[in-house]
Structures are given as C-alpha cells and as structure tokens.
C-alpha cells in the first residue's frame, strides 16, 4: 500500500518531497518532520496568534475525557457511513480528518475503513497534533489551517470533521469527484443538562445548514445519556466545550461544585457530497 503523503508547500503550493526528516519544495521551503511524527505546515506568517487552536491543558482534558469512551456512540456510524459512500474509483482512497484534535476519533475510525487508504489528520493546534501523532504512525499528521489545506486539489475522497468548524467554500476544491464530507455537529439536546449549570437559560443547538455546492447524501441523528462520576471528568468535559471560553465566574464555580453529572449527548451526522 503506497503511503507517501501528497503534501504541498503551504507557501508556494509546489509538491513537498521528504528527504531525511525534512519536507522540501523546489523553491527550498523546508518543513521539519518532528520527532513525534508530524509535520508543521502552518507558516509563521499565517498564524493569527502565537499558538493557534486548543492549548495543551485543553488537549489533555479532551484526551482523558474521550478515552473514557463517553462519545464512542459516534465511532460505528461514522465508520459505516464512510465505508458505504467511499467510491471504489480512487485506489487507495485519501481520507482527511480536519480538526482532528488529539486524534482519538481519527485513529479508531480510519483504522476501521475497509478500503486501501492514505489517511491524514490535521489540526491548527500543534499541541493537539503532537498528542495525535503518538496514536498511529501510519496516519500522516500535520498542523495546518483549514483555510489553506496543503494537499492537492481534487485529491481527497473523504473529509471527516467532528465538532469542528469547516470552511466549506475553501474545502470544495480539495475534494475528488464524488468526494464527500462526514460532518458531525452537536445535536439539538447535546449537553443540555450540563449547559443548564452554565447558563441561566440553556438553548438547543441549531442544526447544521446545507453548505453551498454540496448535496445531502445521508443523515444520522444520535442520542444518548451519560453520567460522569467525578469532578475531574466534569471539568474535562467543560474544558473541551466552547462554553468554557465565555462562562461567567459563577458558572465556573457551579461546575467546580458538581461531583456527579447526568447529561444528554446528541450528535447529527451529515454526509455532504460535492456537487
Ligand atoms: Zn515552497
């Protein structure tokens, strides 16, 4: 199975060739392959902050939480949908997880795809990719921004994105003919009881709207209830949600007092195929 990555230079878009542990384009732009087994393809000038994306504490919280299997409800449906819709035309198939975070889902889902494949895991957070890279050495892990995906146009057969934003307009050209996005977004009642500890009035999540130039191939709605048994698990969940950023001190104090939490989880999976 060929496994060489198809990386492009994020500065000049020429192909990158790997020599020793350096990815280099014909214009001599160089990117080191880190000892952890990932490559940073986010040029310094494209960074809006010094350390874009989730910080180390958030990544560790996410990793610990996911490894307790609380969101495993996602694994089988995502895997089955990719197996069902992946075209047999391109062999091997190219799969890309955008916003892979600590790589928990990437590793399990991509390793259960039946087809011959080349897998990529991408995140804008270097700390996240560093953790992800330890999970599997056959997946090509890299740091990049979804507004400048350093892979050739029309090369990706399946993009997976789990609870992370996607610039659909910029992504379309990266998808192959028949290529599709597996988009996981929070379902209507996701973490509703948990949110009622944070906000005076908890609101339902809005469903994802149809992106322009895509058609809906399939949709799956998942719902379950989870019970967290310790304060540290509750804190881990809190840190991996967007609520963490704008929570008031009162809300933070409320969360810190919880020793057990039963809450709904819900996910919507949409398969959007490029038109
Ligand atoms: Zn270059």
């Amino acid at each position: 199975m060929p496994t060489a990555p198809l990386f492009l230079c994020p500065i000049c878009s020429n192909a990158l060739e790997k020599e020793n542990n350096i990815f280099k384009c014909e214009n001599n732009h160089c990117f080191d392959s880190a000892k952890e087994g990932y490559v940073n393809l986010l040029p310094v000038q494209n960074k809006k902050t010094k350390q874009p994306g989730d910080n180390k504490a958030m990544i560790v919280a996410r990793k610990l939480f996911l490894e307790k299997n609380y969101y495993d409800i996602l694994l089988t449906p995502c895997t089955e949908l990719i197996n069902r819709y992946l075209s047999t035309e391109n062999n091997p198939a190219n799969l890309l997880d955008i916003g892979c975070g600590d790589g928990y889902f990437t590793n399990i889902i991509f390793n259960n795809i039946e087809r011959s494949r080349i897998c990529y895991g991408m995140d804008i957070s270097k700390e996240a990719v560093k953790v992800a890279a330890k999970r599997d050495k056959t997946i090509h892990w890299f740091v990049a921004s979804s507004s400048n995906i350093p892979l050739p146009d029309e090369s990706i057969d399946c993009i997976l994105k789990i609870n992370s934003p996607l610039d659909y307009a910029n992504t379309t050209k990266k998808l192959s003919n028949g290529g599709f996005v597996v988009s996981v977004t929070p379902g209507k009642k996701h973490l509703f009881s948990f949110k009622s500890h944070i906000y005076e009035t908890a609101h339902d999540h809005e469903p994802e709207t149809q992106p322009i130039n895509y058609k809906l191939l399939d949709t799956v709605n998942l719902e379950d209830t989870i019970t967290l048994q310790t304060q540290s698990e509750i804190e881990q969940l809190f840190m991996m949600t967007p609520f963490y950023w704008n929570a008031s001190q009162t809300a933070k104090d409320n969360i810190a007092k919880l020793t057990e939490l039963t809450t709904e989880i819900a996910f919507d999976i949409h398969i959007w195929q490029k038109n």
Side-chain angles (χ1 to χ4, degrees), residues 205-220:
H205 280 280
E206 294 292 325
E208 185 179 37
T209 51
Q210 175 149 0
I212 296 166
N213 296 325
Y214 288 84
K215 64 175 180 238
L216 182 64
L217 281 190
D218 211 333
T219 180
V220 173

Side-chain angles (χ1 to χ4, degrees), residues 19-269:
E19 258 179 59
N20 300 316
N21 270 326
I22 297 173
F23 286 94
K24 198 173 173 183
C25 73
E26 63 179 37
N27 292 321
N28 276 326
H29 299 126
C30 293
F31 304 88
D32 291 345
S33 178
K35 64 175 189 312
E36 291 91 345
Y38 70 92
V39 58
N40 188 346
L41 297 177
L42 187 65
V44 181
Q45 59 267 39
N46 291 9
K47 285 190 196 178
K48 293 193 177 95
T49 60
K50 193 161 176 273
Q51 276 202 324
D54 291 354
N55 65 35
K56 197 170 179 176
M58 295 166 74
I59 297 303
V60 170
R62 176 185 155 113
K63 177 176 187 287
L64 292 171
F65 181 86
L66 293 178
E67 286 178 353
K68 287 184 190 118
N69 313 110
Y70 286 121
Y71 283 2
D72 280 9
I73 189 178
L74 280 173
L75 295 170
T76 302
C78 285
T79 308
E80 283 178 1
L81 286 163
I82 297 174
N83 278 327
R84 188 180 313 157
Y85 290 107
L86 208 51
S87 148
T88 49
E89 257 171 53
N90 298 335
N91 203 19
N94 287 307
L95 312 176
L96 167 65
D97 185 358
I98 291 187
C100 67
D102 69 305
Y104 178 80
F105 295 116
T106 332
N107 180 37
I108 299 175
I109 294 172
F110 284 179
N111 276 309
N112 281 292
I113 300 307
E114 292 152 1
R115 290 269 319 283
S116 158
R117 62 201 176 268
I118 301 179
C119 300
Y120 298 89
M122 168 185 141
D123 203 285
I124 196 165
S125 161
K126 190 168 92 174
E127 293 300 335
V129 175
K130 222 185 250 187
V131 172
K134 291 188 185 133
R135 293 190 187 272
D136 185 309
K137 300 293 174 201
T138 67
I139 295 172
H140 301 295
W141 305 98
F142 63 105
V143 182
S145 151
S146 67
S147 60
N148 181 21
I149 301 169
L151 290 165
D153 288 353
E154 301 188 6
S155 67
I156 305 298
D157 303 298
C158 167
I159 287 175
L160 175 66
K161 70 148 193 97
I162 299 184
N163 291 343
S164 67
L166 183 67
D167 181 348
Y168 278 97
N170 248 311
T171 306
T172 321
K173 62 180 186 291
K174 298 296 169 186
L175 284 170
S176 63
N177 192 14
F180 59 91
V181 177
V182 179
S183 169
V184 178
T185 52
K188 197 173 169 187
K189 292 291 176 195
H190 187 55
L191 301 179
F192 194 84
S193 298
F194 180 55
K195 286 197 288 186
S196 63
H197 293 282
I198 304 170
Y199 303 113
E200 253 172 55
T201 314
H203 294 287
D204 291 347
H205 280 280
E206 294 292 325
E208 185 179 37
T209 51
Q210 175 149 0
I212 296 166
N213 296 325
Y214 288 84
K215 64 175 180 238
L216 182 64
L217 281 190
D218 211 333
T219 180
V220 173
N221 305 104
L222 302 168
E223 282 180 359
D224 202 355
T225 303
I226 56 171
T227 298
L228 312 187
Q229 308 269 13
T230 65
Q231 215 297 306
S232 65
E233 288 183 7
I234 296 165
E235 199 65 32
Q236 286 157 12
L237 172 63
F238 189 32
M239 282 185 78
M240 61 183 270
T241 65
F243 326 135
Y244 185 70
W245 294 104
N246 55 18
S248 65
Q249 192 54 49
T250 316
K252 285 182 179 166
D253 294 343
N254 286 345
I255 299 292
K257 278 184 221 142
L258 294 175
T259 53
E260 193 183 289
L261 170 77
T262 296
T263 188
E264 308 78 353
I265 58 168
F267 299 101
D268 296 340
I269 309 177

